[in-house]
Amino acid sequence: MSQPALNQDSLNQDLRRLVYYSRNRVGGPAAMNETIRGILAASRTNNARVGVTGALMFNAGCFAQVLEGPGEAVETTFERIQQDERHGEVSLLAFEAVETRLFTEWSMAFVGASQADAALYGDMAGESGFDLSRMTGNNLCAVLHGLALEEEAAAA
Amino acid sequence: MPAFMSALAAPSLPVSLPFEAALAEMAAPLLLLDAGGTVLFTNARAAALLSCAEPVGLSLPVLLAQSGAAEPEGEPVLEAVRATRPARARLTLDGDRRVEAALAPLSAGGFALTFEDVTEQLRGAALARQEPLTGLCNRVGLHDRLHAALAEADRTGAPLAVLMLDLDRFKAVNDTLGHPVGDALLRKVAERLRKATRSGDVVARLGGDEFAILQAGAEQPQASEALARRLVDLVGRTYVVDGHMLNVGVSVGVAVAPVDGRGADDLLKHADLALYRAKAEGRGTYRFFEPAMNAQMQARRSLEIDLRRALALKQFDLAFQPQIQLETGAVTGFEALLRWNHPERGPVSPALFIPLAEEIGIIVGIGEWALRAACREAASWPQPASIAVNLSPVQFRGGKLVETVMNVLAQTGLDPARLELEITEGALLENTDSVLDVLNGLRALGVKISMDDFGTGYSSLSYLQKFPFDKIKIDQSFVRGMEGNAECGAIVRAIARLGASLGMRTTAEGVETPSQLDAIRAEGCTEVQGYLTGRPMPAAQAAALLSSSPVASPADAA
Ligand SMILES: Cc1cc2nc3c(=O)[nH]c(=O)nc-3n(C[C@H](O)[C@H](O)[C@H](O)COP(=O)(O)O)c2cc1C
């Protein structure tokens, strides 16, 4: 699913990366489970259709996401996410033009210290192709990763 | 047409041939039915409208069904045929044509059924109630829906709520990024409003950045409160438009029927009053209407009426407060302070009337008057002391400030070096670049520029870097707090040092006690202004003070 998006990047002058983090407003593990599955399903189809890739990190405290793709597609995807009331206090950290993608697919992973949550969502990272080294290799993404860890601690 | 002729041969319908020709060519679509509802005659228009080549002989229910008219819509007509009554009904035919059908029993038996195609008319009416940019309802549409909802609520006793919305900081987006970006933002805002509301709610754009929502069929005030809270959250989230990250907020005013009003006008007005309050109390928030708001708005309006004529009636005056050089104790100059003395109200507090004058824009005229009066007065002083005059952020917007100051200096003959214009951080908040241009233009005239109320804003420090102010005036809250609060002392010290290292003078404002004076002297401020060293005084007294005391010329103090 990532190949078409990538192949077009060389033609696409307007590649953008958007980075935000937000507070998780989903209450309780059952609702969280449903939410995560829902986001996964919606994102897989919607994002692939418009050539958006990226990574979504989550834990009981927050979401932290990187979205990459054509400017217009990133804007529309982000606008839909902004209207989602399962999270709030969305802080937009960056929206910038970039040369290449950091993430070749859309992936997500539980990021945090909670053993219970790690057991619940741990397999999702492998399944969705989440690559922590890409996260920590880029400066801004490393900041985002750090923020996510802090937010979990604060929510605990 | 034998079938038709034979039907006509029946004694009940004595139609002669010229009649038939007339009916056939008539512009209005027409069917003639027998008493049982079977079609006896159709003109070409009706056949075309119903998309049926040969309706004659069909029964009305069959004909309607063939033409696409849905069951329940046609029922009143069929019912009227059975009861031999007249009827009117609106039908939707194939191809989304909307027609108005009128059934009339004929005295000789049978019926005439005529149609009027109202498709365009309805489309036009819908368009007239729609706002083209966002596709939301417009003001007319909102009024219609509100009237209908109120009539319904009157019958059922169910409450309904009107929410008035106004975007915060939208104008800044439009001014800096242009209308196309502003319009795209408005479309996104409209989309979020639709998303936050339920399908039965009416969302309207009333113009500019004003929106309204009509919420019926929900428990009040709980539902409108929950909605208002969601709106403040959702609309206030960052937008990404055309590669720009944009932040606007929304203020919301709510009025609930029947408690806050039973009529549309009252409800809208009261929701507006609540909105006004929400904006006055910090924006990005919501308020419900309270009856006291009516009285407060009336008081404000009457103050506004008085304020608008105060300048013409010469009710303004200036008071002059001395500024003292700490090192020598000499008077370096005065700050001109605006006073409004109303014949019935007495002295009105500047804290009350200046924000109002700014809001309604007349601060520009009042400010110019104050500038001219202060310069004229200072030009007449026996000593070349400095004169400080406050500028409102609003005065920077008209694009005429530099010209005004130049004219005033020319008219009064005051040495530009003696004039100090004081601005607050508020002036720099919006359109910083164009304000900096104006400041540089003023500086080029030879006047001095001070940063007033320093330390109270968000980013005062960054402004010091953007413009080389001649003077920093430390806000009185820090000076007052120095006794008993070590942090205030530290802040005053830091600002004084900062000023010294940037080559800016520092004035401590609001000094009221000898121990405060000692403290600010110890922290290294260069000047002081406050009740202890001199209250605001009439012009004559200020001039007298200058003749009796030694003066440090502004040049010495600099
Ligand atoms: C933190 C967070 C991240 C999300 N990320 C995406 C995303 O990358 N792509 C997407 O289509 N939807 C995403 N969603 C879901 C959207 O908000 C919305 O529910 C979804 O796009 C609706 O899709 P559908 O109309 O196909 O059901 C996210 C939601 C949340 C709370």
Side-chain angles (χ1 to χ4, degrees), chain B residues 29-44:
Chain B
L30 168 85
L31 298 178
L32 294 177
L33 313 174
D34 70 11
T38 299
V39 178
L40 298 178
F41 168 82
T42 173
N43 66 7

Side-chain angles (χ1 to χ4, degrees), chain B residues 376-387:
Chain B
R376 183 175 299 127
E377 187 60 32
S380 74
W381 284 340
Q383 313 264 9
S386 65
I387 177 74

Side-chain angles (χ1 to χ4, degrees), chain A residues 20 39 42-43 46-47 63 65 80-81 84 86-87 106:
Chain A
Y20 76 83
I39 293 175
S43 303
N46 294 342
N47 296 10
F63 293 101
Q65 191 169 26
R80 213 166 50 239
I81 298 171
D84 199 316
R86 292 173 292 190
H87 66 165
W106 192 87

Side-chain angles (χ1 to χ4, degrees), chain B residues 28-67:
Chain B
L30 168 85
L31 298 178
L32 294 177
L33 313 174
D34 70 11
T38 299
V39 178
L40 298 178
F41 168 82
T42 173
N43 66 7
R45 294 274 182 158
L49 184 71
L50 298 168
S51 345
C52 180
E54 190 46 76
V56 172
L58 295 178
S59 77
L60 189 59
V62 172
L63 177 61
L64 289 183
Q66 268 187 15
S67 309

Side-chain angles (χ1 to χ4, degrees), chain B residues 97-152:
Chain B
R97 301 224 65 84
R98 308 288 304 276
V99 299
E100 190 134 311
L103 180 81
L106 301 173
S107 53
F111 303 88
L113 181 59
T114 54
F115 298 94
E116 186 185 354
D117 189 337
V118 292
T119 314
E120 293 310 320
Q121 193 182 325
L122 288 177
R123 194 171 292 153
L127 274 180
R129 276 156 184 72
Q130 202 183 44
E131 191 279 305
L133 179 69
T134 58
L136 296 176
C137 208
N138 63 14
R139 194 180 283 277
V140 177
L142 176 71
H143 270 269
D144 283 1
R145 301 286 298 266
L146 182 55
H147 279 290
L150 280 169
E152 173 75 10

Side-chain angles (χ1 to χ4, degrees), chain A residues 25 75 79 82-83 85 87, chain B residues 192 230 233 237-238 243:
Chain A
R25 283 195 188 155
E75 278 187 21
E79 177 59 29
Q82 273 294 46
Q83 295 173 10
E85 292 181 80
H87 66 165
Chain B
R192 290 194 191 178
R230 294 176 71 200
D233 172 12
R237 295 183 179 185
T238 306

